[in-house]
Amino acid sequence: MRKKTLFLLSFLLIALLKLSAQSSLRLSGKVINSRNEAVPGATITVDGTNRKTAADVEGRFTLQLEPGKKYTLKISSAGYTTKSLEDVELKSGEDNTLSVVLESKSELGEVVVRSSVRKETTSALINLQRNNTAVSSGIAADLIRRTPDRTTGEVLKRVSGASIQDNKFVIVRGLSDRYNAAFINNSQLPSSEPDRKAFSFDVIPANMIDNIVINKTATPELTGEFAGGLIQVQTKDVPTKDFLSIGFQLGFNLNSVFRDFTSNPRTSTDWLGWDNGTRKFPSAFPATPQEYRALPVDDQISKSQLMRDDVYAQANATARPAQTYNLAYGSTRILKNDAKLGFIASVIYRNTMLKYDVQRQLLQSDATPIFQLTDNQNRYQTNIGALVNITYAQKNNKISFKNIFNRFYDDNYFVRTGLNSNRNQDINFYSSFLNQRSFYSGQFEGDHQLKLAKMKFRWNTGYSLVTRSQPDLRTQQYVRAIGSNKFEIDPDDTRRFWSDLQDHTITASGALTLPFELFGQKQQFKGGASTIIRFRDFQSRIFRYVETNQSNFNQELASLPYDQIFKKENISRTGFVLDDFTNNQDKYFGISTINSGFAMFDNKLSEKVRLVWGARLEFFEQYLTTKNQEAKRVDVDQETWDFLPSVNLTWSLNTKNNLRFSAFQTVARPEFREIAPFAFFDYEANYGIVGNPDLKRTKINNFDVRYEIYPAAGETFSVGAFYKNFKNPIEFRLDPGSNADRRQYFYQNATDANTYGAELEFRKNLDFLNKGSKVLSNMTAFGNITYLFSDVSFPDETSGQPINSNRPIQGQSPYLVNAGIQYTSDKLFSATLLYNVIGPRLALVGSTPTKDVNGEFQQEFPDIYERPRNLLDFQLSRKIMERRGELKLSVSDIFNNSITLYENRSSGKAFNGEDRIFSSYKPGTTITIGFTYDFELKKRK
């Protein structure tokens, strides 16, 4: 049987290798003008032959040419100067693409501009960088391939002014995730988290990305709901060549691999990212808390026995290396009338087993311990992703159907031990904390070049679904009085929890672009409208085991081991029964709509001055319904109109220098979870979270200035400054009702806040150090630095007057640094060294400062900051097997600095001897080896 399998695999490999042998190769390109606009209908002719083609609605074209020969292409279009492109040569195993920039026709008459492929590619790169309408930063697929990053969240920390919290939530310009917006393939994404306004970017695998752009200033065509950045993720589209790619990676986390790994028993489908039903809520259990509570005691006992009792046992294994497998296929077919049908599909599977030892503590102001705990965490993760994009393009029309799906399974089993001095108890705590998340996004979109007045029409309609379930989240706490030798169960923190969240989003948009001339210059007007409709349904049930009858309880049961205590025979009149203490507000339903329209002018005031200005009008409706503790209906219903103007002025001092000015107004609206009065205690983070129905939306005034230099292709230097003023900023802060060992956080509006910042970004080839060095000509250094300062005012609890808090806005760091050096060689190897660090970040806002006897403001519970950590990553890769195969070696988090949160008790924000550790752990250095092979498939005749 094994011989037959090997024979079949060998036969398949030989067949695929034969498919990759070709007599001709495909050249793919794009024709744009000096304003970054596609030139549809441009004619591309192969000089000296009868071969020619026309660019589609996006300016894209393909030609089939023989490898090893040099060709001359002529590109022409009405109203533009013809360009002759020489020395076009296709090579097997390489990405044969080019971009062509056409200039408007001069008054001197017909002129043919001659250029080479290398010069033209250079011109296109500079043109794309110089002519963005807004201040933005980005990262493309070529750099993503040269990092050890596996998810979009990890990639985003490479972008100027961006940092990542918890390896998935994006912070731009020091503003927390709630002040950012996320788009995928031109469609806005909903929040993926039940407890915060954020999109978890770890659900999108990095190898599915074509490019990421973060817009830091607004234009009217973009949503007005952001202040830090608008993150636009574009997944891969029409392939430039037919291909089949396979790959695998093995990752060795030095903190985890080959160590003992403990969890509750795994189910047969955990490795696929789905629970097999073991953790499902029993269907025969009463559907509502009221129904269960009304049952007689014997019936409650009977129903309690429906809960599985075999799920508490511990299963021991060995932590395996992280495994990643990916498969991608792409194809383009030429149809009648030069129409093209492009198809790309990709699947990825990743499984990891990680171990962390987390130290936690809380101290009183006199340094007396409240609690000191150690978590032994065992995190089992499975990630499955799939992408399918289909595009049809025919001359002046293009229609695409884009789909992405991801399933993320995260089970953290941890054992917590330590001392709670506040209660005079030793603690043994066990928890299985499972999250199952799914994300689907599908969009139909179209681009059409109309004959009427050369107008362009773009439309998009989409649907996305975000789900998150926590099936049978279990906790067990045993406590022992100090001096005693007997641990007994603590019913209050021994729980079982089920929750289910579904978030549906329907989007539709359309925009019309009308070109016209004014002052002898080409101008544009763009107008459009959009709608976003969201539905969120959240439900949960929470139980704890209590003594059925205190006077008749068998006390010996209280000290039984964790895997025996809740056996069915112990669920009885002399044992335990479930207490359903689900609150009325533990479920809610919400619906919101944003209907908007915009008008935007793109005016060329002269050859050097460009003004993009206009306004956006948004009407926001949000409705949420739940019940309060007294079972009375609680409705949160709000409507707001927002008029959001914006101005972006670009002064091109010359072909390599830009000066930009921007002013715009945006908003930040409350998320469903933030206004829902649902309360949840996160045992993993060790604090509670509750919403606030009285939240107001935030209005932000933004101002930017930036100077840019583009000295050569792929090189840039920019320096800029920005200012933001917030009215009613929303912050995540400590609830005044918290006590020493059980803290709760909620959402609250501050009075106002101001953020000031400066940014510097560069990318430079190192050949200037030695013009004759081939090594240096293949090396590029790049980096970005962001410096930030902010202040927040809030109402004094006594006087009601605003007072300055002497702290930054929640989520902000005072600085962010990204740096790297990259070496690329076609014949040898490629290497990338990357460095990242952020300053002390305000993670959790403490209690409201109050005046002491000396009139000084003091906090009972200080703010909690995240300590800076130096992150150094390295990757080495080499092409093999006629450049179709690639070997990669990556080392991520080389320094393995601890991830530390600390109570800021000193006058400064940086960590020093006066501050106290809140939590700390080391994530571990990871060494990854990988191999990919690309089959360049033979073109069908």
Side-chain angles (χ1 to χ4, degrees):
M1 181 66 184
R2 183 174 296 176
K3 289 182 178 180
K4 288 183 179 180
T5 303
L6 289 173
F7 175 78
L8 289 173
L9 289 173
S10 302
F11 179 79
L12 178 61
L13 181 61
I14 293 170
L16 289 170
L17 288 171
K18 285 185 175 182
L19 277 174
S20 66
Q22 300 188 38
S23 59
S24 65
L25 297 173
R26 178 184 296 146
L27 171 70
S28 299
K30 184 174 183 179
V31 184
I32 58 176
N33 61 24
S34 58
R35 297 174 67 165
N36 280 348
E37 301 164 342
V39 183
T43 301
I44 301 91
T45 305
V46 182
D47 204 15
T49 74
N50 59 358
R51 277 181 278 186
K52 66 178 181 179
T53 188
D56 64 18
V57 68
E58 285 192 314
R60 300 185 185 276
F61 67 90
T62 59
L63 282 167
Q64 204 72 19
L65 302 174
E66 296 178 12
K69 294 183 178 180
K70 291 188 177 181
Y71 296 90
T72 297
L73 303 183
K74 283 188 177 178
I75 302 96
S76 60
S77 184
Y80 295 95
T81 300
T82 299
K83 180 162 285 187
S84 179
L85 199 59
E86 301 171 348
D87 299 329
V88 177
E89 183 179 3
L90 277 64
K91 295 180 180 180
S92 180
E94 296 194 5
D95 195 12
N96 296 296
T97 61
L98 61 88
S99 295
V100 183
V101 181
L102 293 184
E103 304 289 341
S104 297
K105 187 174 291 185
S106 69
E107 296 178 359
L108 299 177
E110 185 66 34
V111 176
V112 177
V113 177
R114 299 189 181 277
S115 180
S116 67
V117 172
R118 184 167 184 174
K119 288 180 180 179
E120 188 57 28
T121 303
T122 298
S123 175
L125 286 170
I126 294 175
N127 189 76
L128 287 168
Q129 293 169 350
R130 287 181 61 246
N131 291 290
N132 284 331
T133 59
V135 174
S136 63
S137 299
I139 187 168
D142 60 339
L143 181 58
I144 293 171
R145 286 196 300 269
R146 304 191 186 283
T147 72
D149 301 331
R150 297 161 308 202
T151 70
T152 307
E154 294 172 332
V155 170
L156 279 164
K157 67 176 178 280
R158 314 292 180 190
V159 181
S160 176
S163 63
I164 296 296
Q165 191 174 35
D166 300 332
N167 226 23
K168 54 188 176 182
F169 302 120
V170 182
I171 292 177
V172 181
R173 287 181 161 180
L175 296 173
S176 65
D177 39 33
R178 71 158 340 282
Y179 290 108
N180 303 314
F183 277 66
I184 186 168
N185 299 325
N186 305 312
S187 183
Q188 189 165 357
L189 292 169
S191 173
S192 62
E193 303 303 299
D195 294 326
R196 63 198 295 177
K197 183 179 181 181
F199 183 79
S200 180
F201 282 94
D202 61 343
V203 303
I204 306 177
N207 72 337
M208 296 184 181
I209 303 168
D210 184 61
N211 64 76
I212 300 173
V213 174
I214 299 181
N215 279 74
K216 298 175 183 177
T217 64
T219 57
E221 62 186 325
L222 301 174
T223 178
E225 197 172 2
F226 76 97
L230 189 151
I231 301 137
Q232 300 184 77
V233 179
Q234 293 290 334
T235 58
K236 293 180 179 179
D237 200 340
V238 179
T240 58
K241 60 182 180 181
D242 292 357
F243 70 91
L244 174 66
S245 175
I246 58 174
F248 72 89
Q249 290 183 343
L250 290 177
F252 301 84
N253 182 282
L254 301 186
N255 275 15
S256 308
V257 70
F258 305 133
R259 287 180 59 190
D260 291 339
F261 190 89
T262 305
S263 69
N264 290 143
R266 301 244 74 85
T267 73
S268 59
T269 56
D270 286 2
W271 68 279
L272 290 172
W274 273 269
D275 173 62
N276 68 352
T278 299
R279 301 176 179 90
K280 186 178 179 181
F281 189 77
S283 58
F285 200 91
T288 66
Q290 293 78 12
E291 184 181 344
Y292 174 76
R293 293 167 189 159
L295 294 175
V297 171
D298 287 337
D299 287 347
Q300 287 188 357
I301 292 171
S302 175
K303 296 300 182 184
S304 297
Q305 290 175 342
L306 294 173
M307 299 292 181
R308 295 191 64 136
D309 61 358
D310 58 350
V311 292
Y312 290 102
Q314 286 189 349
N316 296 308
T318 300
R320 299 186 301 267
Q323 304 168 65
T324 303
Y325 305 93
N326 56 274
L327 174 69
Y329 171 76
S331 177
T332 302
R333 295 290 171 259
I334 308 299
L335 308 177
K336 293 181 180 179
N337 301 320
D338 291 326
K340 290 182 294 185
L341 182 65
F343 174 83
I344 188 168
S346 175
V347 293
I348 184 170
Y349 172 84
R350 184 169 67 246
N351 180 266
T352 58
M353 300 171 72
L354 299 172
K355 288 186 67 70
Y356 305 122
D357 294 317
V358 185
Q359 306 299 319
R360 303 181 187 276
Q361 69 171 9
L362 271 181
L363 305 177
Q364 295 180 8
S365 57
D366 61 357
T368 301
I370 298 173
F371 64 70
Q372 293 174 312
L373 307 170
T374 299
D375 292 0
N376 177 252
Q377 298 193 2
N378 303 262
R379 193 176 288 273
Y380 180 94
Q381 296 177 326
T382 296
N383 186 206
I384 296 177
L387 176 146
V388 176
N389 289 344
I390 303 172
T391 299
Y392 174 81
Q394 196 270 330
K395 292 184 179 178
N396 294 331
N397 301 282
K398 176 190 172 186
I399 297 176
S400 298
F401 181 38
K402 298 181 177 181
N403 302 267
I404 186 168
F405 170 80
N406 192 273
R407 176 74 173 183
F408 190 66
Y409 181 99
D410 181 12
D411 181 18
N412 184 17
Y413 180 80
F414 62 94
V415 178
R416 177 175 294 163
T417 58
L419 170 68
N420 187 328
S421 302
N422 205 49
R423 301 184 183 182
N424 254 359
Q425 293 175 334
D426 292 318
I427 293 173
N428 281 341
F429 182 86
Y430 306 85
S431 177
S432 176
F433 198 98
L434 173 63
N435 278 311
Q436 297 181 128
R437 289 181 293 167
S438 293
F439 163 66
Y440 168 75
S441 174
Q443 294 103 32
F444 273 109
E445 61 181 24
D447 287 279
H448 308 277
Q449 177 70 49
L450 308 179
K451 293 182 179 179
L452 179 64
K454 297 184 178 179
M455 290 190 296
K456 295 180 182 178
F457 180 63
R458 168 174 283 188
W459 56 271
N460 178 290
T461 183
Y463 168 76
S464 63
L465 172 65
V466 173
T467 68
R468 173 168 166 168
S469 66
Q470 292 180 293
D472 202 6
L473 189 162
R474 298 182 294 273
T475 64
Q476 288 174 289
Q477 179 160 288
Y478 286 82
V479 296
R480 178 179 65 185
I482 293 177
S484 169
N485 60 1
K486 187 176 183 180
F487 278 96
E488 292 189 342
I489 199 74
D490 177 4
D492 188 51
D493 286 312
T494 299
R495 305 181 178 188
R496 301 183 81 159
F497 175 82
W498 281 262
S499 73
D500 183 70
L501 178 147
Q502 293 197 359
D503 198 311
H504 306 262
T505 302
I506 301 169
T507 63
S509 65
L512 189 68
T513 302
L514 173 65
F516 63 97
E517 287 198 9
L518 187 66
F519 310 126
Q521 300 285 340
K522 290 185 176 180
Q523 319 287 344
Q524 273 189 4
F525 169 78
K526 191 171 186 179
S530 65
T531 186
I532 302 173
I533 305 172
R534 284 184 60 196
F535 304 88
R536 172 174 282 200
D537 185 34
F538 176 80
Q539 300 183 48
S540 64
R541 293 284 293 274
I542 184 167
F543 305 87
R544 60 188 167 197
Y545 285 98
V546 296
E547 299 170 1
T548 306
N549 188 323
Q550 290 184 348
S551 61
N552 197 33
F553 179 69
N554 180 0
Q555 198 61 41
E556 292 182 359
L557 297 179
S559 56
L560 286 176
Y562 56 85
D563 57 343
Q564 299 177 28
I565 189 168
F566 298 128
K567 291 289 186 181
K568 285 184 170 51
E569 59 267 24
N570 298 328
I571 309 301
S572 64
R573 277 191 169 271
T574 59
F576 299 100
V577 69
L578 280 177
D579 173 28
D580 187 340
F581 68 113
T582 306
N583 293 316
N584 294 318
Q585 57 266 39
D586 288 349
K587 66 176 182 178
Y588 62 86
F589 175 80
I591 181 171
S592 70
T593 62
I594 303 177
N595 295 310
S596 59
F598 74 90
M600 183 179 84
F601 286 93
D602 186 350
N603 295 135
K604 201 77 179 290
L605 304 183
S606 69
E607 286 293 333
K608 294 186 175 182
V609 180
R610 183 182 182 186
L611 178 66
V612 179
W613 62 282
R616 184 178 186 88
L617 184 64
E618 295 188 347
F619 177 60
F620 175 67
E621 298 177 276
Q622 186 178 51
Y623 175 75
L624 182 139
T625 183
T626 184
K627 291 183 179 180
N628 63 15
Q629 201 66 36
E630 291 75 37
K632 293 181 179 179
R633 178 69 59 187
V634 175
D635 294 327
V636 181
D637 191 2
Q638 49 185 302
E639 298 180 357
T640 56
W641 286 92
D642 289 299
F643 179 73
L644 306 172
S646 63
V647 175
N648 287 270
L649 179 68
T650 304
W651 180 18
S652 299
L653 305 176
N654 53 46
T655 57
K656 294 186 177 182
N657 294 265
N658 279 346
L659 187 60
R660 296 182 185 269
F661 303 91
S662 300
F664 54 100
Q665 190 174 81
T666 54
V667 296
R669 302 182 177 102
E671 179 60 40
F672 287 127
R673 175 61 183 99
E674 295 173 338
I675 62 173
F678 165 62
F680 173 73
F681 191 84
D682 187 336
Y683 280 95
E684 190 174 16
N686 212 28
Y687 56 74
I689 303 166
V690 66
N692 178 5
D694 297 324
L695 283 181
K696 305 172 186 176
R697 70 137 162 41
T698 306
K699 296 203 75 170
I700 310 112
N701 293 312
N702 310 264
F703 303 92
D704 270 78
V705 59
R706 185 156 89 165
Y707 177 63
E708 304 168 340
I709 304 174
Y710 300 100
E715 295 187 355
T716 181
F717 175 85
S718 67
V719 60
F722 58 88
Y723 165 72
K724 298 178 183 293
N725 172 257
F726 299 78
K727 295 296 182 185
N728 300 314
I730 298 172
E731 292 194 305
F732 185 61
R733 61 179 304 154
L734 191 75
D735 191 313
S738 299
N739 57 44
D741 65 346
R742 202 172 185 91
R743 299 188 177 187
Q744 181 162 282
Y745 288 83
F746 76 122
Y747 303 92
Q748 184 184 53
N749 289 107
T751 304
D752 59 37
N754 297 285
T755 294
Y756 312 82
E759 291 178 318
L760 183 147
E761 182 176 7
F762 71 91
R763 184 178 180 88
K764 177 66 177 174
N765 188 277
L766 298 184
D767 60 355
F768 72 95
L769 298 175
N770 186 343
K771 290 293 184 182
S773 172
K774 290 186 177 180
V775 173
L776 290 175
S777 66
N778 291 328
M779 295 183 71
T780 300
F782 50 90
N784 55 78
I785 301 171
T786 304
Y787 174 78
L788 299 151
F789 169 77
S790 68
D791 60 78
V792 182
S793 296
F794 56 90
D796 180 68
E797 292 183 355
T798 303
S799 66
Q801 297 298 312
I803 58 175
N804 193 289
S805 64
N806 191 33
R807 64 164 173 82
I809 195 168
Q810 190 246 331
Q812 188 178 76
S813 306
Y815 61 84
L816 302 91
V817 178
N818 287 295
I821 189 166
Q822 181 177 320
Y823 174 80
T824 305
S825 172
D826 292 336
K827 297 181 179 179
L828 298 174
F829 61 86
S830 296
T832 306
L833 185 68
L834 300 166
Y835 173 77
N836 169 265
V837 66
I838 64 169
R841 174 163 54 199
L842 178 55
L844 297 169
V845 179
S847 57
T848 302
T850 56
K851 288 183 180 180
D852 60 16
V853 293
N854 299 318
E856 299 288 336
F857 283 100
Q858 302 291 339
Q859 283 182 294
E860 181 182 2
F861 300 107
D863 299 329
I864 293 175
Y865 282 78
E866 181 180 348
R867 190 176 182 180
R869 62 188 305 264
N870 298 288
L871 186 65
L872 186 68
D873 300 328
F874 174 73
Q875 179 168 289
L876 183 70
S877 63
R878 177 170 173 78
K879 291 281 189 178
I880 59 174
M881 304 173 72
E882 297 182 344
R883 298 184 56 79
R884 298 194 186 281
E886 185 177 33
L887 285 171
K888 283 186 181 180
L889 170 67
S890 301
V891 186
S892 60
D893 203 354
I894 293 172
F895 296 141
N896 190 26
N897 290 165
S898 63
I899 298 176
T900 300
L901 299 180
Y902 60 93
E903 286 189 330
N904 181 228
R905 292 183 174 270
S906 60
S907 56
K909 307 307 178 188
F911 181 80
N912 64 33
E914 296 180 44
D915 299 321
R916 281 88 177 265
I917 300 296
F918 181 73
S919 67
S920 181
Y921 72 95
K922 289 192 173 185
T925 299
T926 300
I927 300 172
T928 304
I929 55 174
F931 173 74
T932 59
Y933 189 86
D934 297 328
F935 299 93
E936 192 172 348
L937 305 180
K938 185 176 180 181
K939 181 176 175 63
R940 296 178 183 175
K941 300 295 185 182

